[in-house]
């Protein structure tokens, strides 16, 4: 946009932000340039343009700072203490592609640091030369006082270490208790930096036993995994309470729950039928019944406090760490076949075009007709479609419950196709264990129409919940997914250019924009790699009370409603609906209604913790699976490229391992950051994102989840086939050494 007369220029705004001795928000900028009235509105638009253009970024609290810079006042996490030198990083860092800065912490008047790794501080920051300084204002929280590690002996001394791929420093052990070298142990920190020691308090056993992998993640990330006796007593007492008489009776309907075969809890169940209202000809009526957790877990109770502390259930291959005790999560709240259950029900009227026409919410009593595995539901519908007798589900249930659901889903699918949400069908790994916890296989999860059907019904209910609360002017905990930043789009444009694919930055970017690019590739060999790069271009979804839409789903209003057994965000939405529709006790507390932003930030952080713990555990299982194949040459694919080397994964199995640049031979390889390549200066040999090649597995560490590869012949061999199917050197080579790319793997959570 062109600046209005009286508005500061972009450069003037950048200069003011840089020179201000305090956080500079919209109000401070308007005051500095004496803006009022319409000029303030124009300033808001200008600041949004500058944010979209990648010139500035906004920190929590709505203060602006230069893109790639650090807010004037922000929360930092201490990551290293070396003598008197203390280093910290921003707790939140969203600038994808810009390396996270390390700030030197200046502690005035202290001979030795009082800060330790993991400590969180509120600090005033300043840029100094080529780096950043931080001046602590307040210590917010101390780092974890417990350490999880493997006890090892070296030169007659004991050390603790080996669990984190990013940390190589071991901690001296002063008391090993009853543990022996090689044991997985839990230890307490003693002393203060720089002389941190460890005292073993619990021996956990063999770190290479498969069931240890999830325990490593639980302890490393501080995930609460034990319920106190008082809390169990409260849950048991609450579970006995009657369902109440003020409920809509839906027990006559053949409502079914379709879940994974090994599901540990059942949040949701569905039902649909053709609509008999002439005003909705060829449309459907549908019900999405969700466990009425808000009836059992009341605000301020022990159960509520523990659920908020956990934020969500955490799912590992061998166990689940539930948000709620099993007497609730796997019993009275779980929608099980043939028993009466309390449900909060979303009643939907769906047009033949799949659009939501009407919705309402009620508390009901339901009796689930059947718990059906995805595979069994799919097989029954496929058999019925072929005119055969279903063998996996009773014929009357297939006719009365499944077929109407599939017919209604056809309408929902038309609406989905019309809005064109982001379509990234990337495979997810599934670890299959035997009864002793040993790994049988690691393979991609199968994706069926039954999965898509349940997903679309859940999305419809989530949209209805958000819009219903908006109409009632009630608090909403939105599930927010913002559009990609301009910075990420520029990086994607440069990457696509290496495949002769054009991407215009001036257009209004929608999910369909990315779908169109992927649709043109069809059977292109690099399609999966380009799809992965499109995923990395997306922002991370989060929870909050200010609606910014859900970009990935192409929806203007979206909230999580369908999984209150395992997500605290859904419980907040349920409570708001209970209040809005006057459905009785268990509504939203005044405190939570007034502090939705704080609650949203808390549960967003706990979700990220769970995702990281789940991902790391899968990596450990994969490393254990591959440990018997160390020394073998295997098919691999490059998944990430940085200046210090490239990462690769074993085809069909997964797991990321590093091939250091120093192991690529005597030739110097330059980093082409835009093209995601390492290119040899002399020969033009290259290693590119998505490239398939043979690698020898050198190391597989199940405890840390780390893999390490080397080239089979010990020298550069990247002159083979490129991911775009052509041969020879890539078309674009950077003229300067690049910095390591900030590569982050994101979950596929809605």
């Amino acid at each position: 946009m062109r600046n209005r007369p009286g508005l500061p220029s972009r450069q003037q705004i950048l200069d003011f932000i840089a020179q201000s001795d305090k956080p500079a928000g919209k109000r401070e900028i308007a005051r500095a340039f004496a803006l009022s009235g319409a000029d303030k509105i124009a300033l808001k638009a200008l600041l949004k343009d500058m944010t979209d253009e990648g010139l500035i970024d906004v920190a929590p609290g709505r203060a602006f700072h230069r893109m790639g810079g650090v807010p004037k006042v922000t929360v930092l996490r201490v990551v290293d203490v070396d003598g008197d030198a203390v280093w910290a990083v921003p707790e939140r860092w969203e600038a994808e592609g810009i390396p996270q800065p390390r700030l030197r912490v200046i502690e005035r008047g202290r001979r030795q640091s009082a800060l330790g790794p993991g400590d969180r501080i509120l600090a005033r920051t300043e840029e100094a030369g080529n780096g950043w300084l931080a001046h602590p204002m307040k210590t917010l929280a101390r780092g974890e006082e417990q350490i999880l590690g493997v006890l090892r002996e070296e030169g007659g001394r004991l050390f603790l270490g080996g669990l984190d791929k990013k940390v190589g420093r071991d901690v001296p052990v002063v008391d090993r208790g009853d543990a022996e070298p090689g044991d997985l142990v839990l230890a307490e920190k003693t002393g203060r930096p720089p002389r941190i020691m460890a005292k073993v308090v619990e021996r956990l056993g063999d770190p290479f036993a498969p069931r240890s992998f999830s325990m490593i993640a639980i302890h490393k990330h501080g995930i609460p995994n034990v319920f106190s006796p008082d809390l169990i007593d409260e849950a048991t007492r609450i579970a006995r309470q009657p369902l109440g008489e003020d409920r809509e009776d839906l027990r006559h309907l053949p409502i079914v729950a379709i879940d994974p075969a090994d599901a540990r809890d059942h949040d949701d169940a569905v039902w649909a039928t053709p609509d008999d209202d002439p005003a909705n000809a060829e449309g459907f009526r549908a019900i999405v019944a969700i466990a009425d957790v808000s009836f059992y877990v009341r605000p301020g109770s022990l159960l509520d406090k523990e659920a908020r502390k956990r934020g969500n259930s955490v799912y590992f291959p061998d166990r689940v760490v539930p948000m709620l005790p099993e007497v609730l999560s796997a019993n009275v709240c779980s929608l099980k076949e043939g028993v009466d259950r309390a449900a909060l029900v979303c009643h939907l009227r769906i047009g033949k075009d799949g659009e939501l026409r009407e919705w309402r919410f009620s508390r009901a009593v339901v009796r689930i007709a059947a718990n059906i595995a995805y595979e069994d539901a799919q097989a029954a519908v496929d058999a019925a479609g072929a005119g055969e007798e279903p063998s996996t589900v009773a014929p009357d249930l297939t006719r009365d419950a499944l077929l109407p659901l599939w017919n209604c889903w056809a309408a929902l699918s038309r609406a989905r196709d019309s809005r064109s949400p982001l379509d990234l069908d990337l495979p997810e790994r599934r670890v299959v264990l035997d009864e002793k916890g040993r790994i049988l296989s690691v393979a991609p999860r199968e994706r069926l129409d039954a999965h898509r059907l349940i997903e679309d019904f859940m999305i419809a209910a989530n949209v209805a919940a958000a819009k219903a609360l908006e109409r009632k002017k009630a608090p909403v905990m939105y599930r927010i997914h913002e559009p990609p930043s301009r910075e990420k789009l520029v990086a994607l444009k440069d990457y696509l250019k290496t495949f002769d694919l054009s991407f215009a930055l001036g257009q209004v970017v929608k999910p369909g924009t990315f779908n169109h690019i992927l649709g043109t590739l069809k059977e292109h060999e690099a399609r999966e790699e380009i799809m992965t790069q499109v995923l990395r271009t997306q922002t991370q979804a989060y929870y909050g009370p200010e609606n910014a839409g859900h970009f990935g789903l192409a929806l203007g209003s979206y909230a999580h409603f369908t999984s209150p057994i395992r997500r605290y965000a859904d419980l907040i939405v349920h409570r708001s609906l209970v209040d809005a529709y006057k459905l009785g006790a268990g509504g939203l507390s005044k405190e939570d209604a007034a502090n939705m932003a704080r609650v949203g930030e808390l549960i967003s952080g706990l979700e990220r913790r769970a995702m990281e713990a789940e991902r790391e555990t899968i990596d450990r299982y994969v490393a254990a699976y591959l440990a018997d194949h160390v020394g073998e040459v295997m098919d691999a694919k490059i998944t990430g490229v940085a200046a210090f080397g490239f990462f690769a994964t074993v085809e069909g199995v997964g797991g990321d391992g590093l091939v250091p640049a120093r192991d690529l031979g005597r030739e110097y390889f330059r980093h082409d950051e835009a093209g995601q390549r390492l290119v040899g200066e002399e020969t033009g040999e290259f290693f590119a994102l998505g490239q398939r090649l043979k690698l020898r597995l050198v190391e597989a560490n199940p405890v840390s989840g780390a893999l390490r590869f080397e080239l089979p012949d010990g020298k550069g061999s990247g002159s083979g086939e490129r991911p775009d199917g052509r041969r020879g050197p890539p078309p674009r080579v950077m003229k300067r050494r690049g910095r390591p790319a900030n590569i982050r793997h994101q979950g596929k959570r809605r």
Side-chain angles (χ1 to χ4, degrees):
M1 63 173 284
R2 297 183 62 182
N3 292 341
R4 292 166 50 95
L7 275 184
S9 67
R10 284 167 167 76
Q11 189 58 51
Q12 285 175 316
I13 290 175
L14 291 173
D15 291 343
F16 173 75
I17 291 172
Q19 295 165 12
S20 176
D21 59 357
K22 61 182 179 181
K26 181 167 70 73
R27 181 181 302 174
E28 287 74 22
I29 296 171
R31 186 181 298 126
F33 293 97
L35 303 181
S36 62
D39 283 337
K40 283 187 176 182
I41 298 173
L43 174 66
K44 182 179 180 181
L46 175 57
L47 291 172
K48 183 180 185 304
D49 284 350
M50 292 177 68
T51 304
D52 292 343
E53 292 165 12
L55 295 175
I56 57 175
D57 197 3
V58 62
R62 314 308 293 173
F64 294 98
H65 58 90
R66 177 174 55 81
M67 176 62 75
V70 181
K72 287 285 194 304
V73 175
T74 192
V75 177
L76 304 175
R77 178 171 49 85
V78 177
V79 294
D80 193 18
V81 178
D82 186 6
D84 290 336
V86 180
W87 299 92
V89 298
E91 186 168 62
R92 291 184 59 180
W93 186 252
E94 301 294 340
E96 188 83 9
I98 298 177
Q100 186 180 41
R102 284 166 60 95
L103 295 86
R104 174 73 181 267
V105 180
I106 307 299
E107 297 183 273
R108 301 293 184 191
R110 298 175 181 174
R111 297 185 62 184
Q112 281 196 334
S113 173
L115 296 171
D119 289 355
R120 295 171 65 248
I121 61 173
L122 181 69
R124 180 174 55 82
T125 69
E126 63 172 318
E127 196 167 7
N130 294 324
W132 290 84
L133 300 178
H135 304 277
M137 300 167 62
K138 182 180 180 182
T139 300
L140 301 175
R142 290 295 182 182
E144 292 294 328
E145 295 301 316
Q146 291 190 322
I147 315 170
L148 187 72
V150 176
L151 193 65
R152 69 176 184 84
E153 187 173 14
E154 183 179 317
R157 299 180 64 195
L158 292 171
F159 296 89
L160 195 64
L163 284 190
D164 195 331
K165 290 184 274 188
K166 303 173 184 176
V167 179
R169 184 177 303 171
D170 292 346
V171 180
V173 174
V174 294
D175 184 351
R176 73 178 186 184
D178 62 351
E180 297 293 332
D183 282 343
L184 177 67
V185 299
L186 189 64
E188 288 182 347
K189 292 180 184 177
T190 64
R192 290 300 298 166
R195 297 183 58 80
I196 292 179
M197 312 288 275
K199 175 184 177 182
V200 174
V201 295
E202 185 179 357
R203 177 180 177 270
L204 299 176
D206 181 4
F208 295 95
R211 295 195 187 278
S212 294
F213 301 150
S214 54
M215 288 304 299
I216 290 173
I218 288 166
H219 283 282
K220 177 184 172 184
H221 292 279
I223 297 171
N225 70 316
V226 177
F227 292 108
S228 71
D230 287 347
L231 195 137
I232 294 294
D233 288 345
E234 180 175 285
T236 303
R237 186 180 72 256
I238 291 296
R240 296 195 192 105
Q241 68 179 329
L243 300 184
E245 298 178 0
D246 236 8
R247 290 182 176 272
E248 188 175 3
D249 192 343
L250 300 177
R251 287 174 290 187
H252 61 289
L253 296 177
I255 303 173
V256 295
I258 304 175
D259 292 294
D262 58 353
R264 287 126 168 168
D265 50 55
H266 306 277
D267 292 91
D268 56 84
V270 289
W271 170 86
T273 191
D275 197 345
D276 54 8
D277 186 345
N280 190 30
E282 300 182 60
F284 295 86
R285 287 186 296 124
I287 280 176
V288 178
I290 306 299
D292 190 2
V293 175
S294 64
F295 177 69
Y296 296 98
V297 182
R298 302 294 173 86
S301 64
L302 284 178
L303 284 168
D304 181 48
K305 291 174 182 176
E306 183 69 18
R308 181 178 301 209
K309 185 169 75 173
R310 297 180 179 224
N312 44 249
S313 299
V314 188
Y315 292 86
F316 300 109
D318 66 317
R319 75 185 76 209
V320 59
V321 179
M323 185 177 79
L324 301 171
E326 279 198 24
V327 67
L328 296 178
S329 63
N331 192 1
V332 299
C333 286
S334 193
L335 303 182
K336 292 184 175 181
E337 177 179 338
V339 293
D340 291 355
R341 286 290 185 255
L344 188 59
V345 176
C346 175
H347 301 258
L348 296 170
R349 209 165 221 122
I350 299 168
K352 65 178 181 181
D353 56 0
E355 296 297 328
L356 302 185
R357 301 290 177 85
E358 295 177 18
W359 52 77
R360 69 177 177 90
F361 291 83
S362 70
R363 271 182 158 156
V365 56
V366 298
R367 185 177 294 164
I368 302 305
N371 293 109
I372 309 173
Y374 283 115
E375 295 80 4
D376 292 343
Q378 188 68 58
V381 171
D382 289 346
E388 301 170 2
E389 189 80 2
S391 59
T392 56
V393 179
D396 59 336
L397 197 60
T398 301
R399 180 189 67 247
D400 299 337
L402 295 185
L403 291 179
L405 280 171
W406 253 257
N407 291 334
C408 182
W409 176 56
L412 290 174
S413 295
R414 285 192 285 273
R416 170 184 273 263
D417 292 343
S418 176
R419 71 175 194 271
S420 190
L422 193 60
D423 187 14
L424 298 177
D425 198 12
L426 290 165
E428 292 185 69
R429 287 174 291 167
R430 178 169 179 257
V431 176
V432 180
L433 307 177
D434 65 13
E435 66 280 356
K436 294 183 178 180
R438 295 172 301 196
I439 304 161
L440 292 176
S441 65
V442 182
R445 290 183 183 273
E446 186 179 14
R447 181 85 165 146
L448 302 171
D449 280 349
H451 294 98
R452 298 181 178 91
L453 176 142
I454 293 300
E455 184 175 87
D456 281 339
F457 271 97
M458 297 305 109
I459 288 173
N462 288 337
V463 170
K467 291 188 174 183
L469 290 174
E470 288 172 349
R471 285 190 182 178
K472 298 279 189 179
K473 297 186 173 8
V476 189
M477 184 63 76
Y478 291 101
R479 179 62 167 178
I480 302 164
H481 182 225
E482 297 185 21
S485 67
R486 182 177 175 83
E487 178 190 34
K488 291 183 178 182
L489 294 174
V490 168
L492 179 65
K493 173 182 169 64
D494 290 342
Y495 175 72
L496 293 175
K497 190 175 180 181
T498 65
F499 295 96
D500 297 328
L501 294 171
S502 61
F503 181 73
L505 290 177
Q507 63 184 315
V508 176
V509 176
K510 299 179 180 179
T513 308
F514 299 114
N515 294 341
H516 175 72
I517 293 170
L518 298 172
T520 62
L521 297 173
K522 295 182 180 178
E523 302 301 320
H524 197 293
E525 190 170 76
R527 188 175 190 274
E528 188 175 320
E529 286 68 53
I530 294 173
M531 199 180 295
T532 300
Q533 199 68 15
V534 169
L535 174 63
R536 292 174 181 170
T537 302
Q538 308 307 308
T539 59
Q540 191 169 41
Y542 63 95
Y543 295 105
E546 300 295 330
N547 189 17
H550 197 297
F551 176 82
L553 292 175
L555 291 168
S557 296
Y558 192 68
H560 273 167
F561 159 77
T562 55
S563 296
I565 288 177
R566 62 184 180 92
R567 288 189 306 226
Y568 195 80
D570 303 54
L571 180 54
I572 290 287
V573 170
H574 276 228
R575 288 172 174 169
S576 193
L577 286 165
V578 166
D579 279 345
Y581 281 86
K582 297 180 172 51
L583 299 178
L588 196 63
S589 70
K590 291 181 179 178
E591 182 183 358
D592 282 347
N595 294 284
M596 293 283 278
R598 181 174 56 81
V599 176
E601 188 169 347
L602 170 69
I603 58 181
S604 296
L606 294 174
E607 178 189 53
R608 289 191 291 271
R609 179 181 72 175
M611 290 169 60
E612 190 172 346
E614 291 168 355
R615 185 180 65 245
E616 288 179 1
T617 301
I618 294 290
D619 285 345
R620 291 188 179 98
Y621 272 102
V622 169
Y625 185 70
L626 292 173
D628 292 336
H629 301 277
V630 169
E632 296 180 14
V633 175
M634 49 193 66
D635 293 324
K637 180 173 62 177
I638 295 177
T639 57
V641 181
F644 52 80
F646 64 81
F647 294 90
T649 186
V650 178
E651 293 268 36
V653 176
D656 268 339
L658 177 66
V659 179
R662 64 175 180 270
D663 293 347
L664 298 180
R666 298 176 60 87
E667 184 176 8
Y668 178 71
F669 282 78
R670 289 191 178 277
H671 180 210
D672 172 5
E673 191 170 359
Q676 295 288 303
R677 296 174 169 89
L678 288 174
V679 185
E681 278 194 334
E682 299 173 11
T683 64
E685 288 185 318
F686 67 92
F687 298 91
L689 182 70
Q691 182 177 322
R692 288 173 165 81
L693 70 171
K694 299 281 188 181
L695 292 175
R696 178 177 284 107
L697 181 63
V698 177
E699 179 185 351
N701 184 344
V703 178
S704 67
L707 305 176
R708 188 164 63 85
F709 299 104
E710 67 179 11
L711 298 173
D713 55 5
K715 64 180 182 179
S717 58
S719 56
E721 189 167 310
R722 289 164 47 177
D724 55 6
R726 294 177 284 176
R727 302 185 69 84
R732 186 173 182 270
V733 180
M734 299 287 282
K735 296 301 183 184
R736 58 180 175 84
R737 185 194 298 267
R739 299 187 69 181
N742 180 19
I743 297 171
R744 180 175 63 189
H745 297 282
Q746 295 175 288
K748 288 175 62 178
R749 305 195 178 198
R750 300 191 303 272

